[in-house]
Amino acid sequence: MGGLFHTLNVGAESLYASRQGVDTAGHNIANAQTEGFSRQRVNLEQRYPSETRGVLIGNGVFVKNITRAHDMYLEKQINDTNQNLGQSTARFEAMKPLEGIYSPELNNTLSNELDRFFNSLQDLSNFPEELTVRTSVRENAQNLVNSFHRIDSSLKMQRDDINQRVAGEVGEVSTLLKEIAKLNIAIKTAETTNSPEVPDLLDQQDKMLRDLTQKIDVNYYRGEHGMVVVRGPQETLLVDRGYEAKFEVVQREGTNLYDVVVIDGSSHQPTVVTEVNKRGRLAGLIQVRDHVIPDMLQHNNAMAATFAEHMNAIHQQGFGIKDFKETTGRNFFDLGGDPANAAANIRLDGMIEESTDAISVASSPNAPGDNVMANQMLRLKEAKLMGDGRSTMQDYYASYVGGFGLDLVRSEQVRKADDTLTQNLSARREAVSGVSMDEEATNLLKWQANFTASSKVITTIDEMLDTVLQLKR
């Protein structure tokens, strides 16, 4: 119904709407540098008019709701590329330290030690009885053994480090799932009939989802009451309403490595997702831990086993000098009985460790100047012993180390490409959802002017009411 009090109420509602606009602009400015914050806006709506004496009179304005500037399809794209970026970044970061194990800047690479060993064998071929030459052969052989050990232990140390990082990532995923589930409840509780959207809580949850997608392969959607449902690898249910699945690691049987398991509410049984998780940081780390490093360990073991077996086969036919001049059948290297772990177990034969006289390069007993076996050992340098008879030791080493180098370069290129794509999408998100200080300053002036005008309406009505009251005196 029209009247002065009706107009006074319209002015009061206008004041409230203007104040809400100032509050929102201030909130935007305060959070301009807050990561993941989406610009908020006040949505005003005019009230339904009322009829007075046959005339429709406006009833002013009301704040319908406050929403955020948000593009959910763009957000989905960002999270999709986040999974690729997380995988490529973690893979590159895990592979980069391995490069130092094979760095050509090292003076004790396996390739260098092989050259030194065969060079000392050449000297032994020329001077089979010289103590200094025999000592040099033994020392270079020991350095070669140490090089196999160094590569093996360094790779295993990196694998153990990555294994611990896997456990750390799983712990962070578990924390994120709990926080996302808690925010689901908070979002549902905070919703009202007029404001079905809770911008600040949704922003917090979206940021957590971006963090989560960097770590594992997930799909998600918003369901009833704006609550998010998250599904992980192999369609495991990770978050539903206020429930979160258990995301943890268990020790793989027979090893010290961790498997990643999910225990969700539907199966109540642990689902191993170590291999089926194809994206995110966990996928990148596990790929290096379970595929790249074991492959390099296998190459190192194959070299150690093949080299030692062929050296032993020749050395067993030879005779030494002095106390060993009439005996044969000795190994040069001891593999410890397990060729699969040859690089870790290889060592010099005990007799050679005790005495260089046991180095057997003569083809017949009591022939100290004989070098026939030494020459046969030297031929191993150019013999194609590796890769099904296609590669020499040096070629095989160069091939697998070179292959690793190319893989590392490709990993870095993929990481850079994923990073560029993610940055471009983030820039688009910032254009949609980011806070412009100039725009918010303009909004403040607009709302301030509106507030001043609304105040003028109220003071005018107050004066008119005062005039009406004076008429009755």
Side-chain angles (χ1 to χ4, degrees), residues 75-144:
E75 190 74 24
K76 280 278 190 180
Q77 283 183 285
I78 291 173
N79 287 336
D80 189 59
T81 57
N82 262 347
Q83 294 181 88
N84 295 330
L85 177 61
Q87 191 266 347
S88 59
T89 299
R91 190 176 193 275
F92 175 73
E93 290 175 351
M95 288 180 66
K96 187 64 176 175
L98 305 180
E99 185 180 31
I101 299 173
Y102 299 95
S103 173
E105 297 178 3
L106 295 173
N107 192 40
N108 62 339
T109 64
L110 185 59
S111 178
N112 291 341
E113 297 299 350
L114 275 169
D115 282 339
R116 293 189 184 107
F117 176 70
F118 282 115
N119 289 340
S120 63
L121 276 181
Q122 181 66 61
D123 293 337
L124 184 62
S125 175
N126 296 329
F127 307 100
E129 295 180 82
E130 289 291 333
L131 176 61
T132 55
V133 173
R134 285 176 168 269
T135 302
S136 175
V137 169
R138 182 174 64 181
E139 293 304 315
N140 284 317
Q142 184 60 57
N143 290 338
L144 180 58

Coordinates of all heavy atoms in Angstrom, one line a residue, residues 75-144:
E75 N 36.9 -24.3 -15.6 CA 37.5 -24.9 -14.4 C 37.7 -26.4 -14.7 O 38.8 -26.9 -14.2 CB 36.5 -24.7 -13.2 CG 37.1 -25.1 -11.9 CD 38.1 -24.1 -11.4 OE1 38.0 -22.9 -11.7 OE2 39.0 -24.5 -10.6
K76 N 36.8 -27.0 -15.4 CA 37.0 -28.5 -15.7 C 38.2 -28.6 -16.6 O 39.0 -29.6 -16.4 CB 35.8 -29.0 -16.4 CG 34.6 -29.4 -15.5 CD 34.8 -30.8 -14.9 CE 33.6 -31.2 -14.2 NZ 33.8 -32.6 -13.7
Q77 N 38.4 -27.7 -17.6 CA 39.6 -27.8 -18.5 C 40.9 -27.6 -17.7 O 41.9 -28.3 -17.9 CB 39.5 -26.7 -19.5 CG 38.5 -27.0 -20.7 CD 38.5 -25.9 -21.7 OE1 38.0 -24.8 -21.5 NE2 39.2 -26.2 -22.8
I78 N 40.9 -26.6 -16.8 CA 42.1 -26.4 -15.9 C 42.4 -27.7 -15.1 O 43.6 -28.1 -15.1 CB 41.9 -25.2 -15.0 CG1 41.8 -23.9 -15.8 CG2 43.0 -25.1 -14.0 CD1 41.4 -22.7 -15.0
N79 N 41.4 -28.3 -14.5 CA 41.7 -29.4 -13.7 C 42.1 -30.6 -14.6 O 42.9 -31.5 -14.1 CB 40.5 -29.8 -12.9 CG 40.3 -28.8 -11.7 OD1 41.2 -28.1 -11.3 ND2 39.0 -28.7 -11.3
D80 N 41.6 -30.7 -15.8 CA 42.0 -31.8 -16.7 C 43.5 -31.6 -17.0 O 44.3 -32.6 -17.0 CB 41.2 -31.8 -17.9 CG 41.4 -33.0 -18.8 OD1 41.2 -34.1 -18.3 OD2 41.8 -32.8 -20.0
T81 N 43.9 -30.4 -17.4 CA 45.3 -30.2 -17.7 C 46.2 -30.2 -16.5 O 47.4 -30.6 -16.6 CB 45.5 -28.8 -18.4 OG1 45.0 -27.8 -17.6 CG2 44.8 -28.7 -19.7
N82 N 45.6 -29.9 -15.3 CA 46.4 -30.1 -14.1 C 46.9 -31.5 -13.9 O 48.0 -31.7 -13.4 CB 45.5 -29.6 -12.9 CG 45.8 -28.2 -12.4 OD1 46.8 -27.6 -12.9 ND2 44.9 -27.7 -11.6
Q83 N 46.0 -32.4 -14.2 CA 46.4 -33.8 -14.0 C 47.6 -34.2 -14.9 O 48.5 -34.9 -14.5 CB 45.2 -34.7 -14.3 CG 44.1 -34.5 -13.3 CD 42.9 -35.4 -13.6 OE1 42.8 -36.6 -13.1 NE2 41.9 -34.9 -14.4
N84 N 47.6 -33.7 -16.2 CA 48.7 -34.0 -17.1 C 49.9 -33.2 -16.6 O 51.0 -33.8 -16.7 CB 48.3 -33.5 -18.5 CG 47.2 -34.3 -19.1 OD1 47.0 -35.5 -18.8 ND2 46.4 -33.7 -20.0
L85 N 49.8 -32.0 -16.2 CA 50.9 -31.2 -15.7 C 51.5 -31.9 -14.4 O 52.8 -32.0 -14.3 CB 50.5 -29.8 -15.4 CG 51.6 -28.9 -14.8 CD1 52.8 -28.8 -15.7 CD2 51.0 -27.5 -14.4
G86 N 50.7 -32.3 -13.5 CA 51.2 -33.0 -12.3 C 52.0 -34.2 -12.7 O 53.1 -34.5 -12.1
Q87 N 51.5 -35.0 -13.6 CA 52.2 -36.3 -14.0 C 53.5 -35.9 -14.7 O 54.6 -36.5 -14.3 CB 51.3 -37.1 -15.0 CG 51.8 -38.5 -15.2 CD 52.6 -38.6 -16.5 OE1 52.6 -37.6 -17.3 NE2 53.3 -39.7 -16.7
S88 N 53.5 -35.0 -15.6 CA 54.8 -34.7 -16.4 C 55.8 -34.0 -15.5 O 57.0 -34.3 -15.6 CB 54.5 -33.9 -17.6 OG 53.8 -32.6 -17.3
T89 N 55.3 -33.2 -14.6 CA 56.3 -32.5 -13.7 C 56.9 -33.4 -12.7 O 58.1 -33.4 -12.5 CB 55.5 -31.4 -12.9 OG1 55.0 -30.4 -13.8 CG2 56.5 -30.6 -11.9
A90 N 56.1 -34.3 -12.1 CA 56.6 -35.3 -11.1 C 57.6 -36.2 -11.8 O 58.6 -36.6 -11.2 CB 55.5 -36.0 -10.4
R91 N 57.2 -36.6 -13.0 CA 58.1 -37.6 -13.8 C 59.5 -36.9 -14.1 O 60.5 -37.6 -13.9 CB 57.4 -38.0 -15.1 CG 58.2 -39.2 -15.8 CD 57.4 -39.6 -17.0 NE 57.9 -40.9 -17.5 CZ 58.9 -41.0 -18.4 NH1 59.5 -39.9 -18.8 NH2 59.3 -42.2 -18.8
F92 N 59.4 -35.7 -14.5 CA 60.7 -35.0 -14.8 C 61.5 -34.8 -13.5 O 62.7 -35.0 -13.5 CB 60.4 -33.7 -15.5 CG 61.6 -32.8 -15.7 CD1 62.5 -33.2 -16.7 CD2 61.9 -31.7 -15.0 CE1 63.7 -32.4 -16.9 CE2 63.0 -30.9 -15.2 CZ 63.9 -31.3 -16.2
E93 N 60.8 -34.3 -12.5 CA 61.6 -34.1 -11.2 C 62.2 -35.4 -10.7 O 63.2 -35.3 -10.0 CB 60.6 -33.5 -10.2 CG 60.2 -32.0 -10.5 CD 59.1 -31.5 -9.6 OE1 58.6 -32.3 -8.7 OE2 58.8 -30.3 -9.6
A94 N 61.5 -36.5 -10.8 CA 62.0 -37.8 -10.3 C 63.2 -38.3 -11.2 O 64.1 -38.9 -10.7 CB 60.9 -38.8 -10.3
M95 N 63.1 -38.0 -12.5 CA 64.2 -38.5 -13.4 C 65.4 -37.6 -13.4 O 66.5 -38.1 -13.6 CB 63.6 -38.5 -14.9 CG 62.6 -39.6 -15.1 SD 62.0 -39.7 -16.8 CE 63.5 -40.1 -17.7
K96 N 65.3 -36.3 -13.1 CA 66.4 -35.4 -13.2 C 67.6 -35.8 -12.3 O 68.7 -35.7 -12.8 CB 65.9 -34.0 -12.8 CG 66.9 -32.9 -13.0 CD 67.3 -32.7 -14.5 CE 68.3 -31.6 -14.7 NZ 68.8 -31.5 -16.1
P97 N 67.4 -36.2 -11.1 CA 68.5 -36.6 -10.2 C 69.3 -37.8 -10.8 O 70.5 -38.0 -10.5 CB 67.9 -37.0 -8.9 CG 66.6 -36.2 -8.8 CD 66.1 -36.2 -10.3
L98 N 68.6 -38.7 -11.6 CA 69.2 -39.9 -12.2 C 70.3 -39.5 -13.2 O 71.2 -40.2 -13.4 CB 68.2 -40.8 -12.8 CG 67.0 -41.2 -12.0 CD1 66.1 -42.1 -12.8 CD2 67.5 -42.0 -10.7
E99 N 70.1 -38.3 -13.8 CA 71.1 -37.8 -14.8 C 72.5 -37.7 -14.2 O 73.5 -38.0 -14.9 CB 70.6 -36.4 -15.3 CG 71.5 -35.9 -16.4 CD 71.0 -34.5 -16.9 OE1 70.4 -33.8 -16.0 OE2 71.1 -34.2 -18.0
G100 N 72.6 -37.3 -12.9 CA 73.9 -37.2 -12.3 C 74.6 -38.5 -12.1 O 75.9 -38.5 -12.1
I101 N 73.9 -39.6 -12.1 CA 74.5 -40.9 -11.9 C 75.4 -41.2 -13.1 O 76.4 -41.9 -13.0 CB 73.5 -42.0 -11.6 CG1 72.7 -41.7 -10.4 CG2 74.1 -43.4 -11.6 CD1 71.5 -42.6 -10.1
Y102 N 74.9 -40.8 -14.3 CA 75.6 -41.1 -15.5 C 76.3 -39.9 -16.2 O 76.7 -40.0 -17.3 CB 74.6 -41.7 -16.5 CG 73.9 -42.9 -16.1 CD1 72.7 -42.9 -15.4 CD2 74.5 -44.2 -16.2 CE1 72.0 -44.0 -15.0 CE2 73.9 -45.3 -15.8 CZ 72.6 -45.2 -15.2 OH 72.0 -46.4 -14.7
S103 N 76.4 -38.8 -15.4 CA 77.0 -37.6 -16.0 C 78.4 -37.9 -16.5 O 79.3 -38.4 -15.9 CB 77.1 -36.5 -14.9 OG 77.8 -35.4 -15.4
P104 N 78.6 -37.4 -17.8 CA 80.0 -37.6 -18.4 C 81.0 -36.7 -17.7 O 82.2 -36.9 -17.9 CB 79.8 -37.1 -19.8 CG 78.6 -36.3 -19.8 CD 77.7 -36.8 -18.7
E105 N 80.6 -35.8 -16.8 CA 81.5 -35.0 -16.1 C 82.2 -35.7 -15.0 O 83.2 -35.3 -14.4 CB 80.8 -33.7 -15.5 CG 80.3 -32.8 -16.6 CD 79.5 -31.6 -16.0 OE1 79.5 -31.5 -14.7 OE2 79.0 -30.8 -16.8
L106 N 81.6 -36.9 -14.6 CA 82.2 -37.7 -13.6 C 83.5 -38.4 -14.1 O 83.5 -38.8 -15.3 CB 81.2 -38.8 -13.1 CG 80.0 -38.3 -12.3 CD1 79.1 -39.5 -12.1 CD2 80.4 -37.7 -11.0
N107 N 84.5 -38.5 -13.3 CA 85.7 -39.2 -13.8 C 85.6 -40.7 -13.7 O 86.5 -41.4 -14.2 CB 86.9 -38.6 -13.0 CG 88.2 -39.0 -13.7 OD1 88.4 -39.0 -14.9 ND2 89.2 -39.4 -12.8
N108 N 84.6 -41.2 -13.0 CA 84.5 -42.6 -12.7 C 83.3 -43.2 -13.3 O 82.7 -44.1 -12.7 CB 84.6 -42.9 -11.2 CG 83.4 -42.2 -10.4 OD1 82.8 -41.3 -10.9 ND2 83.2 -42.7 -9.2
T109 N 82.9 -42.8 -14.5 CA 81.8 -43.4 -15.1 C 82.1 -44.9 -15.5 O 83.3 -45.2 -15.6 CB 81.4 -42.7 -16.4 OG1 82.4 -42.8 -17.3 CG2 81.0 -41.2 -16.1
L110 N 81.1 -45.7 -15.7 CA 81.3 -47.1 -16.0 C 82.1 -47.2 -17.3 O 83.0 -48.0 -17.5 CB 80.0 -47.8 -16.1 CG 80.0 -49.3 -16.4 CD1 80.8 -50.0 -15.2 CD2 78.6 -49.8 -16.5
S111 N 81.8 -46.3 -18.2 CA 82.6 -46.3 -19.5 C 84.0 -46.0 -19.3 O 84.9 -46.7 -19.9 CB 82.0 -45.2 -20.5 OG 82.7 -45.2 -21.7
N112 N 84.3 -45.0 -18.5 CA 85.7 -44.7 -18.2 C 86.5 -45.9 -17.5 O 87.6 -46.2 -17.8 CB 85.8 -43.5 -17.3 CG 85.4 -42.2 -18.1 OD1 85.4 -42.2 -19.3 ND2 85.1 -41.1 -17.3
E113 N 85.8 -46.5 -16.5 CA 86.4 -47.6 -15.8 C 86.6 -48.8 -16.7 O 87.6 -49.5 -16.5 CB 85.5 -48.0 -14.6 CG 85.3 -46.9 -13.6 CD 86.7 -46.4 -12.9 OE1 87.7 -47.0 -13.2 OE2 86.6 -45.4 -12.2
L114 N 85.7 -49.0 -17.6 CA 86.0 -50.1 -18.6 C 87.2 -49.9 -19.4 O 88.0 -50.8 -19.6 CB 84.7 -50.3 -19.5 CG 83.6 -51.1 -19.0 CD1 82.4 -51.0 -19.9 CD2 84.0 -52.6 -18.9
D115 N 87.3 -48.6 -19.9 CA 88.5 -48.3 -20.7 C 89.8 -48.5 -19.9 O 90.8 -49.0 -20.4 CB 88.4 -46.8 -21.2 CG 87.5 -46.7 -22.4 OD1 87.2 -47.7 -23.1 OD2 87.0 -45.6 -22.6
R116 N 89.8 -48.0 -18.6 CA 91.0 -48.1 -17.8 C 91.3 -49.6 -17.5 O 92.5 -50.0 -17.5 CB 90.8 -47.4 -16.5 CG 90.7 -45.9 -16.6 CD 90.7 -45.2 -15.3 NE 90.5 -43.8 -15.4 CZ 89.4 -43.1 -15.1 NH1 88.3 -43.8 -14.6 NH2 89.2 -41.8 -15.2
F117 N 90.3 -50.4 -17.3 CA 90.6 -51.8 -17.1 C 91.2 -52.5 -18.3 O 92.2 -53.2 -18.2 CB 89.3 -52.5 -16.7 CG 89.4 -54.0 -16.5 CD1 90.1 -54.5 -15.4 CD2 88.9 -54.9 -17.4 CE1 90.3 -55.9 -15.3 CE2 89.0 -56.2 -17.3 CZ 89.7 -56.7 -16.2
F118 N 90.6 -52.2 -19.5 CA 91.2 -52.9 -20.7 C 92.6 -52.3 -21.0 O 93.4 -53.0 -21.5 CB 90.2 -52.7 -21.8 CG 89.0 -53.7 -21.8 CD1 87.7 -53.2 -21.7 CD2 89.3 -55.0 -21.9 CE1 86.7 -54.1 -21.6 CE2 88.2 -55.9 -21.9 CZ 86.9 -55.5 -21.7
N119 N 92.8 -51.1 -20.7 CA 94.1 -50.5 -20.9 C 95.2 -51.2 -20.0 O 96.3 -51.5 -20.5 CB 94.1 -49.0 -20.7 CG 93.4 -48.2 -21.7 OD1 93.2 -48.7 -22.9 ND2 93.0 -47.0 -21.4
S120 N 94.8 -51.4 -18.8 CA 95.7 -52.1 -17.9 C 95.9 -53.6 -18.3 O 97.0 -54.1 -18.1 CB 95.2 -52.1 -16.4 OG 93.9 -52.8 -16.3
L121 N 94.8 -54.2 -18.9 CA 95.0 -55.5 -19.5 C 96.0 -55.5 -20.6 O 96.8 -56.5 -20.8 CB 93.7 -56.1 -19.9 CG 92.8 -56.8 -18.9 CD1 91.5 -57.3 -19.5 CD2 93.5 -57.9 -18.2
Q122 N 96.0 -54.5 -21.4 CA 96.9 -54.3 -22.5 C 98.4 -54.3 -22.0 O 99.3 -54.9 -22.5 CB 96.6 -53.1 -23.3 CG 97.6 -52.8 -24.5 CD 97.4 -53.9 -25.6 OE1 96.3 -54.0 -26.1 NE2 98.5 -54.6 -25.8
D123 N 98.5 -53.5 -20.9 CA 99.9 -53.5 -20.3 C 100.3 -54.8 -19.7 O 101.4 -55.2 -19.8 CB 99.9 -52.4 -19.1 CG 99.7 -51.0 -19.6 OD1 100.0 -50.8 -20.8 OD2 99.2 -50.2 -18.8
L124 N 99.3 -55.6 -19.2 CA 99.6 -56.9 -18.6 C 100.0 -57.8 -19.8 O 100.8 -58.7 -19.6 CB 98.4 -57.4 -17.9 CG 98.5 -58.8 -17.2 CD1 99.6 -58.7 -16.1 CD2 97.2 -59.2 -16.5
S125 N 99.3 -57.7 -20.9 CA 99.7 -58.5 -22.1 C 101.1 -58.3 -22.5 O 101.8 -59.2 -22.9 CB 98.8 -58.2 -23.2 OG 99.2 -58.9 -24.4
N126 N 101.6 -57.1 -22.3 CA 103.0 -56.7 -22.7 C 104.0 -57.1 -21.6 O 105.1 -57.5 -21.9 CB 103.1 -55.2 -23.0 CG 102.3 -54.8 -24.2 OD1 102.1 -55.6 -25.1 ND2 101.8 -53.6 -24.2
F127 N 103.5 -57.1 -20.3 CA 104.4 -57.4 -19.2 C 103.7 -58.3 -18.2 O 103.3 -57.8 -17.1 CB 104.9 -56.1 -18.5 CG 105.5 -55.1 -19.4 CD1 104.7 -54.0 -19.9 CD2 106.8 -55.2 -19.9 CE1 105.3 -53.0 -20.7 CE2 107.3 -54.2 -20.7 CZ 106.6 -53.2 -21.2
P128 N 103.5 -59.5 -18.6 CA 102.7 -60.4 -17.7 C 103.3 -60.7 -16.3 O 102.5 -61.1 -15.5 CB 102.6 -61.7 -18.5 CG 103.4 -61.5 -19.8 CD 104.1 -60.2 -19.8
E129 N 104.5 -60.5 -16.1 CA 105.1 -60.8 -14.8 C 105.3 -59.6 -13.9 O 105.6 -59.8 -12.7 CB 106.5 -61.5 -15.0 CG 106.5 -62.8 -15.7 CD 107.8 -63.4 -15.9 OE1 108.3 -64.0 -14.9 OE2 108.4 -63.2 -17.0
E130 N 105.1 -58.4 -14.4 CA 105.4 -57.2 -13.6 C 104.4 -57.0 -12.5 O 103.2 -57.0 -12.7 CB 105.4 -56.0 -14.5 CG 106.5 -55.9 -15.5 CD 107.8 -55.6 -14.7 OE1 107.8 -55.0 -13.6 OE2 108.9 -56.0 -15.2
L131 N 104.9 -56.9 -11.3 CA 104.0 -56.7 -10.1 C 103.2 -55.4 -10.2 O 102.0 -55.4 -9.9 CB 104.8 -56.7 -8.8 CG 104.1 -56.5 -7.5 CD1 103.0 -57.5 -7.3 CD2 105.0 -56.4 -6.3
T132 N 103.8 -54.4 -10.6 CA 103.1 -53.1 -10.7 C 102.0 -53.1 -11.7 O 100.9 -52.6 -11.5 CB 104.1 -51.9 -11.1 OG1 104.7 -52.3 -12.3 CG2 105.1 -51.7 -10.0
V133 N 102.2 -53.8 -12.8 CA 101.2 -54.0 -13.9 C 100.0 -54.8 -13.3 O 98.9 -54.5 -13.5 CB 101.8 -54.6 -15.1 CG1 100.7 -54.9 -16.2 CG2 102.8 -53.6 -15.7
R134 N 100.4 -55.9 -12.7 CA 99.3 -56.8 -12.1 C 98.5 -56.0 -11.0 O 97.3 -56.2 -11.0 CB 100.0 -58.1 -11.5 CG 100.4 -59.1 -12.6 CD 101.1 -60.3 -12.0 NE 101.2 -61.3 -13.0 CZ 100.4 -62.3 -13.2 NH1 99.3 -62.3 -12.5 NH2 100.6 -63.2 -14.2
T135 N 99.2 -55.2 -10.2 CA 98.5 -54.4 -9.2 C 97.6 -53.4 -9.9 O 96.4 -53.2 -9.4 CB 99.5 -53.7 -8.3 OG1 100.4 -54.7 -7.7 CG2 98.8 -52.9 -7.3
S136 N 98.0 -52.9 -11.0 CA 97.2 -51.9 -11.7 C 95.9 -52.6 -12.2 O 94.8 -52.0 -12.2 CB 98.0 -51.3 -12.9 OG 97.2 -50.5 -13.6
V137 N 96.1 -53.8 -12.8 CA 94.9 -54.6 -13.3 C 93.9 -54.8 -12.1 O 92.7 -54.6 -12.3 CB 95.4 -55.9 -13.9 CG1 94.1 -56.8 -14.2 CG2 96.1 -55.7 -15.2
R138 N 94.5 -55.2 -11.0 CA 93.6 -55.5 -9.9 C 92.9 -54.2 -9.4 O 91.6 -54.2 -9.1 CB 94.3 -56.1 -8.7 CG 93.5 -56.5 -7.5 CD 94.2 -57.2 -6.4 NE 95.2 -56.3 -5.8 CZ 96.1 -56.7 -4.8 NH1 96.0 -58.0 -4.4 NH2 97.0 -55.9 -4.4
E139 N 93.6 -53.1 -9.3 CA 93.0 -51.9 -8.8 C 91.9 -51.4 -9.8 O 90.9 -50.9 -9.4 CB 94.1 -50.8 -8.6 CG 95.0 -51.1 -7.5 CD 94.3 -51.3 -6.2 OE1 93.4 -50.5 -5.9 OE2 94.7 -52.3 -5.5
N140 N 92.2 -51.5 -11.1 CA 91.3 -51.0 -12.1 C 90.0 -51.9 -12.1 O 88.9 -51.5 -12.4 CB 91.9 -51.0 -13.5 CG 92.8 -49.7 -13.7 OD1 92.5 -48.7 -13.2 ND2 94.0 -49.9 -14.2
A141 N 90.3 -53.2 -11.9 CA 89.2 -54.2 -11.8 C 88.3 -53.8 -10.6 O 87.0 -53.8 -10.7 CB 89.7 -55.6 -11.7
Q142 N 88.9 -53.5 -9.5 CA 88.2 -53.1 -8.3 C 87.4 -51.8 -8.5 O 86.2 -51.6 -8.1 CB 89.1 -52.9 -7.1 CG 88.4 -52.6 -5.8 CD 87.5 -53.7 -5.4 OE1 87.8 -54.9 -5.3 NE2 86.2 -53.4 -5.2
N143 N 88.0 -50.8 -9.3 CA 87.3 -49.6 -9.6 C 86.1 -49.9 -10.5 O 85.1 -49.2 -10.4 CB 88.3 -48.6 -10.3 CG 89.3 -48.1 -9.3 OD1 89.1 -48.1 -8.1 ND2 90.4 -47.6 -9.9
L144 N 86.3 -50.8 -11.4 CA 85.1 -51.2 -12.3 C 84.0 -51.8 -11.4 O 82.8 -51.5 -11.6 CB 85.6 -52.2 -13.3 CG 84.6 -52.7 -14.3 CD1 83.9 -51.5 -15.1 CD2 85.2 -53.6 -15.3

